Amino acid sequence: MVAIKHVPLQNICYCDTSKGERLPKEVAVHQELHKSETCPYIVKIYDWYLEDQLIMTMEYPRPCMTLHDFIKCHPSLPRETLARRLMNQAVTAAKYCIGHGVNHGDLSCDNFLINTDRMQVKIIDFRSGRFISTTNNLESGYCVTDSAYAVADTVCGLGKIRAQLVGCCCYVGVTHNHIVSEGFCSFLSWVFVPWGQCHDNIMSCECVLFCVDTRGGLF
């Protein structure tokens, strides 16, 4: 089963690749993510065409729905057990993106599909994606972001997903400037408020591992 995504010409952003090609940014992002290996938690693009609009043929797992709709439709599921499983997949996907030089730009429950038979999630919709700037990567205006912002943006998105998965309001809004300026430990106290005695801090642990693996000397 596939999905066909249509993007009007006026909504297409372009970027120049290191090979000298000028591609729609969303296509270039997918090519970068899948050029040497694949991640089971990121939706694949099979083909694309550009004429009077951009048409992309993409993977579409069945049966599936967005993670946002799944949470709304299944309020009685065991939240912490399921959240641990799904959050691990989300963190793995986010780490893969960062590790391959891509910031998704809009991590949320609306941008994850979940296969309701296998309980497997996949990131979708890279239209807000940007390349993480390196000397060997793409250098094309607002298609590029720095690594500090990419990590901050990604962990903020994961924090929001974590809060929705467990049905609580533990996530505290924080800007990316707070994350970069306040330091790594202070940032975690902003994003992951303790759950209290009735919850273990499983989601915080997942995201701490993500940060430790990716932040390097950024903070």
Side-chain angles (χ1 to χ4, degrees):
M1 183 68 67
V2 298
I4 308 296
K5 182 172 182 178
H6 300 260
V7 183
L9 289 178
Q10 63 268 24
N11 294 341
I12 299 174
C13 297
Y14 294 88
C15 60
D16 299 315
T17 72
S18 56
K19 296 180 180 180
E21 300 175 288
R22 187 164 180 78
L23 297 176
K25 182 185 66 174
E26 192 166 357
V27 172
V29 165
H30 277 283
Q31 288 187 355
E32 187 72 14
L33 289 173
H34 299 296
K35 67 180 180 181
S36 59
E37 57 183 325
T38 60
C39 176
Y41 309 121
I42 298 175
V43 72
K44 299 182 183 70
I45 181 171
Y46 295 129
D47 208 349
W48 64 279
Y49 309 91
L50 183 60
E51 293 182 356
D52 57 338
Q53 60 183 327
L54 173 62
I55 300 175
M56 293 176 283
T57 305
M58 314 187 78
E59 175 187 11
Y60 188 71
R62 292 292 300 268
C64 74
M65 61 178 68
T66 66
L67 190 54
H68 174 78
D69 289 340
F70 178 79
I71 293 169
K72 288 177 61 178
C73 293
H74 300 84
S76 61
L77 284 176
R79 286 299 183 97
E80 291 187 19
T81 301
L82 182 61
R84 180 182 288 108
R85 178 178 176 182
L86 298 182
M87 196 67 189
N88 181 65
Q89 297 176 40
V91 171
T92 299
K95 287 174 65 175
Y96 182 92
C97 289
I98 293 290
H100 287 73
V102 170
N103 175 34
H104 180 274
D106 189 21
L107 287 180
S108 68
C109 288
D110 286 316
N111 285 330
F112 274 91
L113 290 180
I114 178 168
N115 182 312
T116 52
D117 283 348
R118 301 175 60 190
M119 290 295 129
Q120 183 184 54
V121 298
K122 290 180 182 283
I123 297 180
I124 60 172
D125 196 355
F126 282 84
R127 63 182 147 180
S128 298
R130 294 186 180 188
F131 293 94
I132 299 171
S133 180
T134 68
T135 55
N136 298 318
N137 209 333
L138 307 183
E139 300 291 344
S140 182
Y142 63 88
C143 291
V144 174
T145 188
D146 65 82
S147 55
Y149 181 92
V151 171
D153 183 63
T154 297
V155 179
C156 271
L158 290 172
K160 294 175 184 178
I161 293 169
R162 171 261 208 183
Q164 286 187 259
L165 279 172
V166 297
C168 70
C169 298
C170 295
Y171 178 81
V172 176
V174 58
T175 68
H176 303 99
N177 288 335
H178 278 132
I179 296 173
V180 174
S181 63
E182 294 293 329
F184 179 63
C185 293
S186 298
F187 155 65
L188 290 177
S189 68
W190 275 92
V191 177
F192 299 108
V193 177
W195 294 16
Q197 296 182 354
C198 61
H199 296 288
D200 64 31
N201 218 354
I202 53 174
M203 297 309 115
S204 296
C205 293
E206 296 280 8
C207 289
V208 167
L209 290 174
F210 167 78
C211 294
V212 170
D213 284 347
T214 59
R215 71 184 180 95
L218 297 176
F219 299 100

